[in-house]
Amino acid sequence: MDAMGLLIEGFSTALTFDNLLWALLGVTIGTAVGVLPGIGPALTVALLLPITFRLEPASALILFAGIYYGGMYGGSTTSILLKTPGESASIMTALEGNQMARAGRAAQALATAAIGSFVAGTVGTLGITFLAPWIADFAVSFGPPEYVALMMVAFVTVSTLLGPSLRKGLAALLLGLTLGLVGIDAQSGQGRLTFGTDTLLNGIDVVLVVVGLFALGETFGHILARTGQSTVEPVRGRAILSREDFRRSWPAWLRGSAIGFPIGALPAGGAEVPTFLSYAAERRLSKHREEFGHGAIEGVAGPESANNAAAAGVLVPLLTIGLPTSATAAVILTAFQSYGLQPGPALFTESGDLVWALIASLFIGNTMLLVLNLPLVKIWARTLTIPAWGIYAGVLVFAMFGAFAAGGNPSDILLLVGIGVLGLFMRLADIPVAPAVVGLILGPLLEVELRRALILSDGDWTVLWSTPLTIGLWAIAAIAIVSPVVLGLGRRRRQSLVS
């Protein structure tokens, strides 16, 4: 059956009353947490992981997809009204959007961001519909050597893209790989890194690590920094675009979507690069260049569309080859695994009904978000006045209850707190969390595939680079390692010449 036929079947599952409620709940929670500074979709999905184990897999994944898309929407509110981007991909939105808010045009900035997010989300979801099955069919031919090379590409690119430096990204990755070794070795039956503790023989629950590093680490960091509230720009009038605003916005929405989705869909993609490219393109093409830096509406429409299109693109490598290229995608990968599902080419054949219901729910959630954001923009803006201590106290309570509900063991709470302290130290040292989660999730899979490849080749290591595809993947990994070093040397050389 073709993609459209499968998508229609997916709609038949996603449009049930229960799943519509979960989608609505997801986009509502996602928008709310996206608005709150310091609380993002990755942290929210991590918090909800333990308390959604009793849901059906389709309902839980629809809920998480709604949170993911909702968080992308809500982040623009914080950027525009507070000039506090929740993540690096929202920097460009904050730059022009806050200037519009200060000029009394906050409602127009929020409107173009919301409609642009809807357009980009729709374009991105269409891209997932037609691109993901093709990539999955291609990936079916992968053997153990190809998977080893592919996972190395994932390790290197995640470490370089999600960290301030290659060194810190690799340090986080090594930490995750080490945590993934804890427990009984499936081949030898010997305990590894258990230090004589029986509770560690089953390994460290991925959910505990995700909740501890994301939720508790972030919360401890904000408490230590005594994060408070900033001045919120008021929203005057209704979130409606004038004819002139719409005329200037719609080309930027389309250009941003066209830039964001392809880059986000790359295994080495991300949302930061397309937002900067979109901003540069709008500044070059605009007939109102003098407004840039002072509140140009194209500077909000383009980057916000690119951000949301890239966020949709991130789901392509996640669903088709099991590679997360963002922090939230890493947590969603954990959600799949908690239900015994491994994203990859087999997911479309073994759990096709679930995957297409998930994709259909993205269309539904995207429409719900537009309905929620435009009329209720002032209500979302008021959530920015919630005291910071109340937000982080709630995060701590949910994290503790969730950890206990996941395993029912009091020792899990102690382990959670210990991992949270580790997350705090990583935050203080500016070491990214996402590579550690990716290493923890993919490390055991890499070990299995590496052993399979060596068994099939009678211990011949050259099998790992014996085909054109594996050679190409290893070359991509090498380029990802070398390019930041070369760019850094070039930057320092230019600075020395200038000085």
Side-chain angles (χ1 to χ4, degrees), residues 1 3 31 35 39-40 59 84 107 109 179 184 187 207 231 347 362 394 467 473 485:
M1 189 180 295
T31 304
V35 169
I39 309 292
S59 300
T84 307
L179 292 175
I184 297 177
Q187 184 170 350
V207 174
T231 302
L347 185 67
L362 295 177
T467 65
L473 291 172
V485 178

Side-chain angles (χ1 to χ4, degrees), residues 229-404:
Q229 302 300 118
S230 303
T231 302
V232 181
E233 297 294 336
V235 179
R236 301 183 179 90
R238 298 170 62 189
I240 298 177
L241 295 179
S242 66
R243 182 175 299 180
E244 174 66 13
D245 289 336
F246 184 83
R247 185 185 63 80
R248 292 175 58 177
S249 293
W250 73 261
W253 296 332
L254 297 179
R255 284 191 291 262
S257 302
I259 292 171
F261 180 77
I263 296 177
L266 294 173
E272 293 82 5
V273 174
T275 57
F276 286 104
L277 291 177
S278 175
Y279 183 82
E282 295 309 320
R283 186 164 189 166
R284 181 182 297 271
L285 297 173
S286 176
K287 297 179 181 178
H288 307 274
R289 295 185 187 179
E290 71 283 354
E291 293 185 16
F292 277 80
H294 305 284
I297 195 168
E298 298 95 334
V300 179
E304 190 62 22
S305 299
N307 181 17
N308 283 268
V314 163
L315 296 178
V316 174
L318 176 66
L319 294 175
T320 57
I321 52 180
L323 296 185
T325 57
S326 71
T328 311
V331 182
I332 292 177
L333 177 59
T334 307
F336 272 96
Q337 291 187 330
S338 67
Y339 285 97
L341 302 169
Q342 178 58 46
L347 185 67
F348 281 81
T349 55
E350 297 175 0
S351 305
D353 294 344
L354 186 150
V355 174
W356 287 105
L358 174 65
I359 294 174
S361 75
L362 295 177
F363 285 102
I364 296 169
N366 203 36
T367 305
M368 288 179 174
L369 281 166
L370 186 65
V371 175
L372 278 175
N373 274 265
L374 289 180
L376 305 179
V377 64
K378 292 186 178 181
I379 295 177
W380 297 124
R382 288 175 187 170
T383 61
L384 291 170
T385 61
I386 297 175
W389 61 264
I391 297 172
Y392 300 122
V395 169
L396 287 174
V397 171
F398 269 99
M400 297 299 178
F401 276 115
F404 185 75

